Amino acid sequence: MQITVYGDTLCAQVTATAMAQTGHRVCWVVHEPRSRERLEGGRPLFREQGLDRVFAEQLESGRLRPSFRDAEQLPEAEAVFLAVSPGDADWSHDIVKLIAGNAMCQVIINQTVGPVGAAERLRNQLREAGSATALVAMPDLIQEGNAFQTFTRPESILLGCERGEGEALVRELLRPFNRRKDVIQVMTLREAEFAKLAISGILATRISFMNDMASLSESLGVDIDVVRVAMGADSRIGEAYLYPGCGFGGAGLDQNVLALVDALKARSAGPGLLAQVMQTNERQKEVLFRKFWQYYKGDVAGKRVAIWGAAFKPGTRRVDNAPVLKIIEALWAQGVEVAVHDPKALPELEAWASGRGPLQLCDDPYEALAGADALMLVTEWKLYWGPDWRRLRVTMRQPLILDGRNIYDPDFVRGQGLVYRGIGRV
């Protein structure tokens, strides 16, 4: 089948790659100059384990072909995926207008996560143009850092369609990824969009709740990790997203929760729970700085801090709304020297820091530790889980470990002659 995927997003790259891998002829259309430059050089827009190799294979096979918004002629397609950035709603409407006059296109699949009602507006645009093309909503549920796996082996697929329009064709397209059991949940357009936002809302709420509990546990002399295990053992609660830390980041989760907050504000007199969730998360992003400040009793000017991990989560190179950004700004404001190591995110962090302040970017994690008065563990990349503790102790000027993800054992670290501070740990 001939498929066109529109968008400069990770979702677009994953969808285009997965569709090409299953034998379809796929045209991937982008419009950002940086995206065009990378694709013309045969490079992916996003790099992730498991995705890079398959993407390169599909380009080489010819089943995946990049194209650009300003191309003189885009190929006709039987199915179109819209996976544009949430801020590119105008582009989505331009695409639908273009497709409305194309009798070959049978279905448009809107993966773009936006406000509830966005898919209906696109469907109405098709109807007003007299087009027989069906429009369905399939909100992006991929998890950055493991995006290809979560698309090709999904736990759930939300499919919004009215009166079954387009359902059969979408099921056929997704059949290679829906074999073990049927994970497609069919609902209305609005229900699919709202379900996606609600999923993000509950995940964010669990994280912020645990961060509140971690703060309280410290004042009570209680280890939050013991409490976390006890909570997770209750089948009504479960284990997922109960890990306290130094806050969540990433454009997707933040945007989705903020979309819910805006909807609640428009329809309710009160600010709502989710507004407090976002406030808690922003406050939590500075928790490591506050622990650093308290340890040195405010005498931090001229000190040096090493940071391990800048990406908003392991497996990605992105730093969008990542806790590390707020931490660095707080350290800069107090005249603290900052050195950072991350296995993937340093180029994006460098671009963010340009013109803002001095930042030492280190290719080796132990280089960042040289002469440091504290180590802040911000992103729990696997290479940080088993450090050379003796080397840490002799390389650092002061042996302070600030564990923003609670990946270390407090007693063991202290037994190595280091000072340990975690999130809600005693």
Side-chain angles (χ1 to χ4, degrees):
M1 188 177 295
Q2 180 66 52
I3 295 171
T4 303
V5 179
Y6 290 88
D8 298 64
T9 62
L10 175 60
C11 179
Q13 180 175 316
V14 169
T15 301
T17 302
M19 289 294 127
Q21 188 190 34
T22 52
H24 299 289
R25 300 180 306 280
V26 180
C27 178
W28 179 17
V29 182
V30 298
H31 78 101
E32 294 291 341
R34 181 182 176 188
S35 302
R36 179 170 188 156
E37 180 182 342
R38 291 187 67 85
L39 291 180
E40 285 180 335
R43 294 171 294 158
L45 305 191
F46 302 90
R47 304 191 69 107
E48 285 200 2
Q49 184 176 0
L51 175 60
D52 294 359
R53 175 184 57 80
V54 183
F55 175 80
E57 289 173 352
Q58 301 319 304
L59 277 182
E60 186 177 355
S61 73
R63 286 189 298 272
L64 175 58
R65 181 171 65 86
S67 187
F68 313 101
R69 183 176 181 177
D70 58 355
E72 291 184 4
Q73 184 175 2
L74 295 175
E76 292 189 335
E78 298 161 81
V80 167
F81 287 84
L82 300 181
V84 306
S85 300
D88 285 338
D90 288 344
W91 189 23
S92 292
H93 286 281
D94 290 344
I95 295 166
V96 170
K97 182 179 180 181
L98 181 68
I99 294 169
N102 180 3
M104 181 180 178
C105 184
Q106 300 176 47
V107 64
I108 298 174
I109 302 153
N110 186 38
Q111 296 173 285
T112 305
V113 178
V116 175
E120 282 185 356
R121 288 189 284 275
L122 295 175
R123 182 203 58 189
N124 293 340
Q125 184 180 349
L126 285 170
R127 289 181 175 176
E128 289 167 4
S131 173
T133 301
L135 187 133
V136 304
M138 193 179 83
D140 169 18
L141 291 179
I142 62 174
Q143 298 173 23
E144 191 158 345
N146 194 27
F148 194 68
Q149 178 81 0
T150 52
F151 184 92
T152 56
R153 294 190 177 183
E155 295 179 350
S156 172
I157 297 172
L158 307 178
L159 185 61
C161 58
E162 307 293 345
R163 298 186 297 277
E165 294 178 2
E167 180 183 345
L169 181 54
V170 174
R171 282 186 175 275
E172 171 59 23
L173 291 171
L174 300 179
R175 180 170 49 81
F177 320 122
N178 191 40
R179 294 190 65 196
R180 290 177 296 173
K181 64 176 181 178
D182 188 2
V183 298
I184 297 177
Q185 302 178 63
V186 181
M187 54 196 76
T188 67
L189 295 172
R190 281 178 171 255
E191 286 166 347
E193 292 171 323
F194 186 73
K196 163 60 182 179
L197 297 180
I199 289 168
S200 297
I202 193 65
L203 295 180
T205 300
R206 285 172 71 100
I207 295 169
S208 287
F209 174 80
M210 286 305 295
N211 284 332
D212 269 353
M213 294 301 98
S215 178
L216 180 59
S217 74
E218 290 183 9
S219 66
L220 297 173
V222 173
D223 190 333
I224 193 62
D225 204 51
V226 176
V227 175
R228 175 190 63 79
V229 173
M231 292 173 64
D234 190 318
S235 61
R236 296 170 299 175
I237 299 172
E239 300 174 347
Y241 286 79
L242 288 184
Y243 292 88
C246 52
F248 61 80
L253 190 56
D254 275 2
Q255 288 172 351
N256 295 341
V257 177
L258 287 172
L260 276 176
V261 171
D262 289 343
L264 285 166
K265 285 181 178 178
R267 292 163 176 81
S268 172
L273 170 64
L274 287 175
Q276 185 60 48
V277 165
M278 296 303 291
Q279 291 174 13
T280 298
N281 187 58
E282 289 305 302
R283 183 176 68 247
Q284 194 68 14
K285 290 179 180 180
E286 292 186 344
V287 65
L288 294 185
F289 172 77
R290 291 195 297 271
K291 290 178 180 293
F292 172 68
W293 176 275
Q294 290 163 3
Y295 181 81
Y296 285 108
K297 298 180 173 59
D299 184 19
V300 298
K303 287 188 164 43
R304 174 182 169 91
V305 167
I307 294 176
W308 280 2
F312 76 85
K313 65 182 291 188
T316 181
R317 61 183 60 232
R318 295 172 63 185
V319 297
D320 313 59
N321 302 323
V324 74
L325 306 184
K326 204 156 190 177
I327 293 170
I328 291 172
E329 288 178 334
L331 292 170
W332 279 342
Q334 298 300 321
V336 178
E337 181 184 348
V338 185
V340 184
H341 175 268
D342 187 284
K344 288 188 176 183
L346 292 186
E348 288 212 5
L349 185 64
E350 182 178 28
W352 170 83
S354 179
R356 284 186 169 93
L359 196 62
Q360 182 183 351
L361 304 176
C362 303
D363 294 327
D364 182 270
Y366 296 95
E367 177 189 355
L369 290 175
D373 297 288
L375 165 63
M376 293 184 178
L377 186 287
V378 178
T379 311
E380 65 276 29
W381 291 96
K382 288 299 183 185
L383 80 160
Y384 300 143
W385 284 67
D388 184 334
W389 296 108
R390 180 183 177 279
R391 189 174 178 185
L392 258 73
R393 191 174 65 251
V394 300
T395 303
M396 297 177 68
R397 183 161 52 197
Q398 296 293 332
L400 176 61
I401 309 298
L402 300 171
D403 182 2
R405 300 298 174 186
N406 286 356
I407 67 173
Y408 302 130
D409 180 272
D411 292 336
F412 184 85
V413 175
R414 290 168 184 143
Q416 307 306 303
L418 299 161
V419 178
Y420 178 88
R421 298 286 188 274
I423 309 297
R425 309 297 300 276
V426 294

